[in-house]
Coordinates of all heavy atoms in Angstrom, one line a residue:
M1 N 66.0 -19.8 61.1 CA 65.3 -20.6 60.1 C 64.3 -21.4 60.8 O 64.5 -22.1 61.8 CB 66.3 -21.5 59.3 CG 65.5 -22.6 58.6 SD 66.7 -23.7 57.7 CE 66.4 -23.0 56.0
T2 N 63.0 -21.4 60.3 CA 62.0 -22.2 60.9 C 61.5 -23.1 59.7 O 61.1 -22.6 58.7 CB 60.8 -21.3 61.4 OG1 61.3 -20.5 62.4 CG2 59.7 -22.2 61.9
L3 N 61.4 -24.4 60.0 CA 60.8 -25.3 59.0 C 59.5 -25.8 59.5 O 59.3 -26.2 60.7 CB 61.8 -26.5 58.8 CG 63.1 -26.2 58.2 CD1 63.9 -27.5 58.1 CD2 63.0 -25.6 56.9
G4 N 58.5 -25.8 58.6 CA 57.2 -26.3 58.9 C 57.0 -27.6 58.4 O 57.8 -28.1 57.6
P5 N 55.8 -28.2 58.7 CA 55.6 -29.6 58.3 C 55.6 -29.9 56.8 O 55.9 -31.0 56.3 CB 54.2 -30.0 58.8 CG 53.8 -28.8 59.6 CD 54.8 -27.7 59.5
T6 N 55.4 -28.9 56.0 CA 55.4 -29.1 54.5 C 56.7 -28.5 53.8 O 56.8 -28.7 52.7 CB 54.2 -28.4 53.8 OG1 54.2 -27.0 54.2 CG2 52.9 -29.0 54.3
S7 N 57.6 -27.9 54.6 CA 58.8 -27.3 54.0 C 59.7 -28.4 53.4 O 60.1 -28.3 52.3 CB 59.6 -26.6 55.1 OG 58.8 -25.6 55.7
I8 N 60.1 -29.4 54.2 CA 61.0 -30.4 53.8 C 60.5 -31.7 54.4 O 60.2 -31.8 55.6 CB 62.4 -30.1 54.3 CG1 62.9 -28.8 53.7 CG2 63.4 -31.2 53.9 CD1 64.3 -28.4 54.2
T9 N 60.3 -32.7 53.6 CA 59.6 -33.9 54.0 C 60.5 -35.1 54.5 O 59.9 -36.0 55.0 CB 58.7 -34.4 53.0 OG1 59.5 -34.7 51.8 CG2 57.6 -33.3 52.6
S10 N 61.8 -35.1 54.4 CA 62.5 -36.2 54.8 C 63.8 -35.8 55.6 O 64.3 -34.7 55.3 CB 62.9 -37.1 53.6 OG 63.9 -36.4 52.9
P11 N 64.3 -36.6 56.4 CA 65.6 -36.3 57.1 C 66.7 -36.1 56.1 O 67.5 -35.2 56.3 CB 65.8 -37.6 58.0 CG 64.5 -38.2 58.2 CD 63.7 -37.9 57.0
G12 N 66.8 -36.9 55.1 CA 67.9 -36.7 54.1 C 67.8 -35.4 53.4 O 68.8 -34.7 53.2
A13 N 66.6 -34.9 53.1 CA 66.4 -33.6 52.5 C 66.9 -32.5 53.4 O 67.5 -31.5 53.1 CB 65.0 -33.4 52.0
M14 N 66.5 -32.6 54.7 CA 66.9 -31.6 55.7 C 68.4 -31.5 55.8 O 69.0 -30.5 55.9 CB 66.3 -32.0 57.1 CG 64.9 -31.6 57.3 SD 64.5 -32.0 59.0 CE 62.7 -32.3 58.8
C15 N 69.1 -32.7 55.8 CA 70.5 -32.8 55.9 C 71.1 -32.1 54.7 O 72.1 -31.3 54.9 CB 71.0 -34.2 56.0 SG 70.6 -35.0 57.6
R16 N 70.6 -32.3 53.5 CA 71.1 -31.6 52.3 C 71.0 -30.1 52.4 O 71.9 -29.4 52.0 CB 70.5 -32.2 51.1 CG 71.0 -33.6 50.7 CD 70.4 -34.0 49.3 NE 69.0 -34.2 49.3 CZ 68.3 -35.3 49.7 NH1 69.0 -36.3 50.2 NH2 67.0 -35.3 49.6
V17 N 69.9 -29.7 52.9 CA 69.6 -28.2 53.0 C 70.6 -27.6 54.0 O 71.3 -26.6 53.8 CB 68.2 -27.9 53.4 CG1 68.0 -26.5 53.9 CG2 67.2 -28.2 52.3
F18 N 70.7 -28.3 55.2 CA 71.6 -27.7 56.2 C 73.0 -27.7 55.8 O 73.8 -26.8 56.3 CB 71.4 -28.5 57.6 CG 70.1 -28.3 58.2 CD1 69.4 -29.3 58.8 CD2 69.4 -27.0 58.1 CE1 68.2 -29.1 59.4 CE2 68.2 -26.8 58.7 CZ 67.6 -27.8 59.4
R19 N 73.5 -28.7 55.1 CA 74.9 -28.7 54.6 C 75.2 -27.4 53.7 O 76.4 -27.1 53.6 CB 75.2 -30.0 53.8 CG 75.4 -31.2 54.7 CD 75.8 -32.4 54.0 NE 75.6 -33.6 54.8 CZ 74.7 -34.5 54.7 NH1 73.8 -34.4 53.7 NH2 74.6 -35.5 55.5
Q20 N 74.2 -26.9 53.1 CA 74.4 -25.7 52.3 C 74.3 -24.4 53.1 O 74.4 -23.3 52.5 CB 73.3 -25.7 51.2 CG 73.4 -26.9 50.2 CD 74.7 -27.0 49.5 OE1 75.2 -26.0 49.0 NE2 75.3 -28.2 49.5
M21 N 74.0 -24.5 54.4 CA 73.8 -23.3 55.2 C 74.7 -23.3 56.4 O 74.2 -23.4 57.6 CB 72.3 -23.2 55.6 CG 71.4 -23.3 54.4 SD 69.7 -23.3 54.8 CE 69.4 -21.6 55.0
P22 N 76.0 -23.1 56.3 CA 76.9 -23.2 57.4 C 76.8 -22.0 58.4 O 77.5 -22.1 59.5 CB 78.3 -23.3 56.8 CG 78.1 -22.6 55.5 CD 76.7 -22.9 55.1
N23 N 76.1 -21.0 58.1 CA 76.0 -19.8 59.0 C 74.7 -19.7 59.8 O 74.4 -18.6 60.2 CB 76.3 -18.6 58.1 CG 77.6 -18.6 57.6 OD1 78.6 -18.9 58.2 ND2 77.7 -18.2 56.3
L24 N 74.0 -20.8 59.9 CA 72.7 -20.7 60.7 C 73.0 -20.4 62.1 O 74.0 -20.9 62.8 CB 72.0 -22.1 60.6 CG 71.4 -22.4 59.3 CD1 70.9 -23.9 59.3 CD2 70.2 -21.5 58.9
V25 N 72.2 -19.5 62.7 CA 72.3 -19.1 64.0 C 71.3 -19.7 64.9 O 71.5 -20.1 66.1 CB 72.3 -17.5 64.1 CG1 72.2 -17.1 65.6 CG2 73.4 -16.9 63.4
S26 N 70.0 -19.8 64.4 CA 68.9 -20.3 65.2 C 68.0 -21.1 64.3 O 67.7 -20.7 63.2 CB 68.1 -19.2 65.8 OG 67.1 -19.7 66.6
V27 N 67.6 -22.3 64.8 CA 66.9 -23.2 63.9 C 65.7 -23.7 64.8 O 65.9 -24.2 65.9 CB 67.7 -24.4 63.4 CG1 66.9 -25.4 62.6 CG2 68.9 -23.9 62.7
D28 N 64.5 -23.6 64.2 CA 63.3 -24.2 64.9 C 62.7 -25.3 64.0 O 62.3 -25.2 62.9 CB 62.2 -23.0 64.9 CG 61.0 -23.5 65.7 OD1 60.8 -24.7 66.0 OD2 60.1 -22.6 65.9
L29 N 62.9 -26.5 64.6 CA 62.4 -27.7 64.0 C 61.2 -28.3 64.8 O 60.9 -29.5 64.7 CB 63.5 -28.8 63.8 CG 64.7 -28.3 63.1 CD1 65.8 -29.3 63.2 CD2 64.4 -28.0 61.6
S30 N 60.7 -27.6 65.7 CA 59.7 -28.1 66.6 C 58.5 -28.8 66.0 O 58.0 -28.4 64.9 CB 59.1 -27.0 67.5 OG 58.5 -26.0 66.7
S31 N 58.2 -30.0 66.5 CA 57.1 -30.8 66.1 C 57.3 -31.5 64.8 O 56.3 -32.0 64.2 CB 55.8 -30.1 66.3 OG 55.6 -29.7 67.6
L32 N 58.4 -31.5 64.2 CA 58.6 -32.1 62.9 C 59.0 -33.6 63.2 O 60.2 -33.9 63.7 CB 59.7 -31.4 62.1 CG 59.4 -30.0 61.6 CD1 60.6 -29.5 60.9 CD2 58.2 -30.1 60.7
V33 N 58.1 -34.5 63.0 CA 58.3 -35.9 63.3 C 59.5 -36.6 62.6 O 60.0 -37.5 63.0 CB 57.0 -36.7 63.2 CG1 56.0 -36.2 64.2 CG2 56.5 -36.7 61.8
Q34 N 59.9 -36.0 61.5 CA 60.9 -36.6 60.6 C 62.3 -36.2 61.1 O 63.3 -36.8 60.7 CB 60.7 -36.3 59.1 CG 60.8 -34.8 58.8 CD 59.5 -34.1 58.8 OE1 58.7 -34.3 59.7 NE2 59.3 -33.2 57.9
V35 N 62.4 -35.3 62.1 CA 63.8 -34.9 62.6 C 64.3 -36.1 63.4 O 63.6 -36.6 64.3 CB 63.7 -33.6 63.4 CG1 65.0 -33.3 64.1 CG2 63.2 -32.5 62.6
N36 N 65.5 -36.5 63.1 CA 66.1 -37.6 63.8 C 67.6 -37.2 64.2 O 68.0 -36.1 64.0 CB 66.1 -38.9 63.0 CG 66.8 -38.8 61.7 OD1 67.6 -37.9 61.4 ND2 66.5 -39.7 60.7
D37 N 68.3 -38.2 64.7 CA 69.7 -38.0 65.2 C 70.6 -37.5 64.0 O 71.5 -36.7 64.2 CB 70.3 -39.2 65.8 CG 69.6 -39.6 67.1 OD1 69.0 -38.7 67.7 OD2 69.8 -40.7 67.6
E38 N 70.3 -38.1 62.8 CA 71.2 -37.7 61.7 C 71.1 -36.2 61.4 O 72.0 -35.6 61.0 CB 70.8 -38.6 60.5 CG 71.8 -38.4 59.3 CD 73.2 -38.8 59.6 OE1 73.5 -39.7 60.4 OE2 74.2 -38.2 59.0
V39 N 69.8 -35.7 61.4 CA 69.6 -34.3 61.2 C 70.4 -33.4 62.2 O 71.0 -32.4 61.8 CB 68.1 -33.9 61.2 CG1 67.8 -32.4 61.2 CG2 67.4 -34.7 60.1
I40 N 70.3 -33.8 63.5 CA 71.0 -33.1 64.5 C 72.5 -33.1 64.3 O 73.2 -32.2 64.5 CB 70.6 -33.6 65.9 CG1 69.0 -33.4 66.1 CG2 71.3 -32.8 67.0 CD1 68.5 -32.1 65.8
K41 N 73.0 -34.3 64.0 CA 74.4 -34.5 63.7 C 74.9 -33.6 62.6 O 76.0 -33.0 62.6 CB 74.7 -36.0 63.4 CG 76.1 -36.3 63.1 CD 76.3 -37.7 62.7 CE 77.8 -38.0 62.2 NZ 77.9 -39.4 61.8
T42 N 74.1 -33.5 61.5 CA 74.4 -32.7 60.4 C 74.5 -31.2 60.8 O 75.4 -30.5 60.4 CB 73.4 -32.9 59.3 OG1 73.4 -34.2 58.8 CG2 73.7 -31.9 58.1
L43 N 73.5 -30.8 61.6 CA 73.6 -29.4 62.1 C 74.9 -29.1 62.9 O 75.5 -28.1 62.8 CB 72.4 -29.1 63.0 CG 71.1 -28.6 62.3 CD1 70.0 -28.5 63.3 CD2 71.4 -27.3 61.6
A44 N 75.2 -30.1 63.8 CA 76.4 -29.9 64.6 C 77.7 -29.9 63.8 O 78.6 -29.1 64.1 CB 76.5 -31.1 65.6
E45 N 77.7 -30.7 62.8 CA 78.9 -30.7 61.9 C 79.0 -29.5 60.9 O 80.1 -29.1 60.6 CB 79.0 -32.0 61.2 CG 79.2 -33.2 62.1 CD 79.2 -34.5 61.4 OE1 78.7 -34.6 60.2 OE2 79.5 -35.5 62.0
T46 N 77.8 -29.0 60.5 CA 77.8 -27.9 59.6 C 77.9 -26.5 60.2 O 78.5 -25.6 59.6 CB 76.5 -28.0 58.7 OG1 76.4 -29.3 58.2 CG2 76.5 -27.0 57.7
C47 N 77.4 -26.4 61.4 CA 77.3 -25.0 62.0 C 78.0 -25.0 63.4 O 77.4 -24.4 64.3 CB 75.8 -24.6 62.2 SG 74.8 -24.8 60.7
P48 N 79.2 -25.6 63.5 CA 79.7 -25.6 64.9 C 80.1 -24.3 65.5 O 80.1 -24.1 66.7 CB 81.0 -26.5 64.7 CG 81.4 -26.3 63.3 CD 80.1 -26.1 62.6
N49 N 80.4 -23.3 64.6 CA 80.8 -22.0 65.1 C 79.7 -20.9 65.2 O 79.9 -19.9 65.7 CB 81.9 -21.5 64.3 CG 83.1 -22.4 64.3 OD1 83.5 -22.8 65.4 ND2 83.7 -22.7 63.2
T50 N 78.5 -21.2 64.5 CA 77.5 -20.2 64.4 C 76.2 -20.5 65.2 O 75.5 -19.6 65.6 CB 77.2 -19.9 63.0 OG1 76.7 -21.1 62.4 CG2 78.3 -19.4 62.2
L51 N 75.9 -21.8 65.3 CA 74.6 -22.2 65.9 C 74.5 -21.7 67.4 O 75.4 -22.1 68.2 CB 74.4 -23.7 65.8 CG 72.9 -24.1 66.1 CD1 72.0 -23.6 65.1 CD2 72.9 -25.7 66.1
Q52 N 73.5 -20.9 67.7 CA 73.3 -20.5 69.1 C 72.0 -21.0 69.7 O 71.9 -21.0 70.9 CB 73.3 -19.0 69.1 CG 74.6 -18.4 68.7 CD 74.6 -16.8 68.6 OE1 73.7 -16.2 69.2 NE2 75.5 -16.2 67.9
G53 N 71.0 -21.3 68.8 CA 69.7 -21.8 69.4 C 69.1 -22.9 68.5 O 69.2 -22.8 67.3
L54 N 68.5 -23.8 69.2 CA 67.8 -24.9 68.5 C 66.6 -25.3 69.2 O 66.6 -25.6 70.5 CB 68.7 -26.1 68.3 CG 68.1 -27.3 67.7 CD1 67.8 -27.0 66.2 CD2 69.1 -28.5 67.8
N55 N 65.4 -25.3 68.6 CA 64.2 -25.8 69.1 C 63.8 -27.1 68.5 O 63.5 -27.2 67.3 CB 63.0 -24.8 68.9 CG 61.7 -25.2 69.6 OD1 61.6 -26.3 70.1 ND2 60.8 -24.3 69.6
I56 N 63.8 -28.2 69.2 CA 63.4 -29.5 68.7 C 62.3 -30.1 69.6 O 62.3 -31.3 69.8 CB 64.7 -30.4 68.6 CG1 65.5 -30.5 69.8 CG2 65.5 -30.1 67.4 CD1 66.7 -31.5 69.8
N57 N 61.5 -29.3 70.2 CA 60.4 -29.7 71.0 C 59.5 -30.6 70.1 O 59.2 -30.3 69.0 CB 59.6 -28.6 71.5 CG 60.2 -27.9 72.7 OD1 61.0 -28.6 73.5 ND2 59.9 -26.7 73.0
G58 N 59.1 -31.8 70.7 CA 58.2 -32.6 69.9 C 58.9 -33.5 68.9 O 58.2 -34.3 68.2
C59 N 60.2 -33.4 68.8 CA 61.0 -34.3 67.8 C 61.3 -35.6 68.6 O 62.4 -35.7 69.2 CB 62.2 -33.6 67.3 SG 61.8 -32.0 66.4
R60 N 60.4 -36.5 68.5 CA 60.6 -37.8 69.3 C 61.7 -38.7 68.8 O 62.1 -39.6 69.6 CB 59.3 -38.5 69.3 CG 58.1 -37.7 70.0 CD 56.9 -38.5 70.1 NE 56.3 -38.7 68.8 CZ 55.3 -39.4 68.5 NH1 54.7 -40.1 69.5 NH2 54.8 -39.5 67.3
M61 N 62.2 -38.5 67.6 CA 63.2 -39.4 67.1 C 64.6 -38.9 67.4 O 65.6 -39.4 66.9 CB 63.0 -39.6 65.6 CG 61.7 -40.3 65.4 SD 61.4 -40.6 63.6 CE 62.8 -41.7 63.2
V62 N 64.7 -37.8 68.2 CA 66.1 -37.2 68.6 C 66.5 -37.8 69.9 O 65.7 -37.6 70.9 CB 66.0 -35.7 68.6 CG1 67.4 -35.1 69.1 CG2 65.7 -35.2 67.2
G63 N 67.6 -38.5 70.0 CA 68.0 -39.1 71.2 C 69.0 -38.2 72.0 O 69.6 -37.2 71.5
D64 N 69.3 -38.7 73.2 CA 70.3 -37.9 74.0 C 71.7 -37.8 73.5 O 72.3 -36.8 73.6 CB 70.3 -38.6 75.4 CG 69.1 -38.5 76.2 OD1 68.2 -37.6 75.9 OD2 68.8 -39.3 77.1
E65 N 72.1 -38.9 72.8 CA 73.5 -38.8 72.2 C 73.6 -37.7 71.2 O 74.6 -37.1 71.1 CB 73.8 -40.2 71.6 CG 74.0 -41.3 72.7 CD 74.4 -42.6 72.0 OE1 74.9 -42.6 70.9 OE2 74.1 -43.6 72.7
A66 N 72.6 -37.5 70.3 CA 72.6 -36.5 69.3 C 72.7 -35.1 70.0 O 73.4 -34.2 69.6 CB 71.4 -36.6 68.4
V67 N 71.9 -34.9 71.1 CA 71.9 -33.6 71.8 C 73.3 -33.4 72.4 O 73.8 -32.3 72.4 CB 70.8 -33.6 72.8 CG1 70.8 -32.3 73.6 CG2 69.4 -33.7 72.1
C68 N 73.9 -34.4 73.0 CA 75.2 -34.3 73.6 C 76.3 -34.0 72.5 O 77.2 -33.2 72.8 CB 75.6 -35.6 74.3 SG 74.6 -35.9 75.8
L69 N 76.2 -34.6 71.4 CA 77.1 -34.3 70.3 C 77.0 -32.8 69.9 O 77.9 -32.1 69.7 CB 76.8 -35.2 69.0 CG 77.7 -34.9 67.8 CD1 79.1 -35.2 68.1 CD2 77.2 -35.6 66.6
L70 N 75.7 -32.3 69.8 CA 75.5 -30.9 69.5 C 76.1 -30.0 70.5 O 76.8 -29.1 70.1 CB 73.9 -30.7 69.4 CG 73.4 -29.4 69.0 CD1 73.6 -29.3 67.5 CD2 72.0 -29.2 69.4
A71 N 76.0 -30.4 71.8 CA 76.6 -29.5 72.8 C 78.1 -29.6 72.8 O 78.7 -28.6 73.0 CB 76.1 -30.0 74.2
A72 N 78.7 -30.7 72.4 CA 80.1 -30.8 72.4 C 80.7 -30.1 71.2 O 81.8 -29.5 71.3 CB 80.5 -32.3 72.3
K73 N 80.1 -30.0 70.0 CA 80.6 -29.4 68.8 C 80.2 -28.0 68.7 O 81.0 -27.2 68.1 CB 80.1 -30.2 67.6 CG 80.7 -31.5 67.4 CD 80.4 -32.1 66.1 CE 81.2 -33.3 65.8 NZ 82.5 -33.1 65.2
C74 N 79.1 -27.5 69.2 CA 78.6 -26.2 68.9 C 78.9 -25.3 70.2 O 78.0 -25.2 71.1 CB 77.1 -26.2 68.6 SG 76.8 -27.1 67.1
H75 N 80.1 -24.7 70.2 CA 80.5 -24.0 71.4 C 79.8 -22.7 71.7 O 79.9 -22.2 72.8 CB 82.0 -23.8 71.3 CG 82.8 -25.1 71.2 ND1 82.9 -25.9 72.2 CD2 83.4 -25.6 70.1 CE1 83.6 -27.0 71.8 NE2 83.9 -26.8 70.5
N76 N 79.1 -22.2 70.7 CA 78.3 -20.9 70.9 C 76.9 -21.2 71.2 O 76.1 -20.3 71.3 CB 78.5 -20.0 69.6 CG 79.8 -19.5 69.5 OD1 80.4 -19.0 70.4 ND2 80.4 -19.5 68.2
L77 N 76.5 -22.5 71.3 CA 75.1 -22.9 71.6 C 74.7 -22.3 72.9 O 75.3 -22.6 73.9 CB 75.0 -24.4 71.5 CG 73.6 -24.9 71.4 CD1 72.8 -24.4 70.2 CD2 73.6 -26.5 71.4
R78 N 73.6 -21.6 73.0 CA 73.1 -21.0 74.2 C 71.8 -21.6 74.6 O 71.4 -21.5 75.8 CB 73.0 -19.5 74.1 CG 74.3 -18.8 73.7 CD 75.3 -18.9 74.9 NE 76.6 -18.3 74.5 CZ 77.7 -18.9 74.3 NH1 77.7 -20.2 74.4 NH2 78.8 -18.3 74.0
R79 N 71.0 -22.1 73.7 CA 69.7 -22.5 74.0 C 69.3 -23.7 73.2 O 69.3 -23.7 71.9 CB 68.7 -21.4 73.7 CG 67.2 -21.7 74.0 CD 66.3 -20.6 73.5 NE 66.6 -20.1 72.2 CZ 66.1 -20.6 71.1 NH1 65.5 -21.7 71.1 NH2 66.5 -20.1 69.9
V80 N 68.9 -24.8 73.9 CA 68.3 -25.9 73.2 C 67.0 -26.3 73.9 O 67.0 -26.4 75.1 CB 69.2 -27.2 73.2 CG1 68.5 -28.4 72.6 CG2 70.5 -26.9 72.5
S81 N 65.9 -26.3 73.2 CA 64.6 -26.7 73.7 C 64.3 -28.1 73.2 O 64.1 -28.2 72.0 CB 63.6 -25.6 73.3 OG 62.4 -25.9 74.0
H82 N 64.2 -29.1 74.1 CA 63.9 -30.4 73.6 C 63.1 -31.2 74.6 O 63.5 -31.7 75.6 CB 65.3 -31.2 73.5 CG 65.1 -32.6 73.0 ND1 65.9 -33.6 73.5 CD2 64.3 -33.1 72.1 CE1 65.5 -34.8 72.9 NE2 64.6 -34.5 72.1
I83 N 61.8 -31.1 74.3 CA 60.8 -31.9 75.1 C 60.2 -32.9 74.1 O 59.4 -32.5 73.2 CB 59.8 -31.0 75.8 CG1 60.4 -30.0 76.7 CG2 58.7 -31.9 76.5 CD1 59.5 -29.0 77.2
A84 N 60.6 -34.2 74.2 CA 60.1 -35.2 73.3 C 59.0 -36.0 73.9 O 59.1 -37.1 74.2 CB 61.3 -36.1 72.9
S85 N 57.9 -35.3 74.1 CA 56.7 -36.0 74.7 C 56.1 -37.0 73.7 O 56.0 -36.8 72.5 CB 55.7 -34.9 75.0 OG 54.5 -35.5 75.4
G86 N 55.7 -38.1 74.2 CA 55.0 -39.1 73.4 C 53.5 -38.8 73.4 O 52.8 -39.6 72.8
L87 N 53.1 -37.8 74.0 CA 51.6 -37.5 74.0 C 51.2 -36.5 72.9 O 51.5 -35.4 72.9 CB 51.3 -36.8 75.4 CG 51.7 -37.6 76.6 CD1 51.4 -36.8 77.9 CD2 50.8 -38.9 76.6
Y88 N 50.7 -37.1 71.8 CA 50.2 -36.3 70.7 C 48.8 -36.6 70.4 O 48.3 -37.6 70.4 CB 51.1 -36.6 69.4 CG 52.4 -36.0 69.5 CD1 53.5 -36.7 70.0 CD2 52.6 -34.7 69.2 CE1 54.7 -36.1 70.1 CE2 53.9 -34.1 69.3 CZ 54.9 -34.8 69.7 OH 56.1 -34.2 69.8

């Protein structure tokens, strides 16, 4: 699943969508400034057995703790791309 800047406009809306999709395998949220720790926590809790890849490059509101939680819960996770550059 790839979300673009106009797909879903708030972290709460993203969380609601992800809670309805427990079989996600790969998610691309790159450069979506509204992605935060709560969105990542929701993915980790909703897709712990299926998520294999996540691209959160440019998501500056995602912290290390959320990424660590994702790694701890999603045992099939093989790829996480997270470069949160402040240069835009």
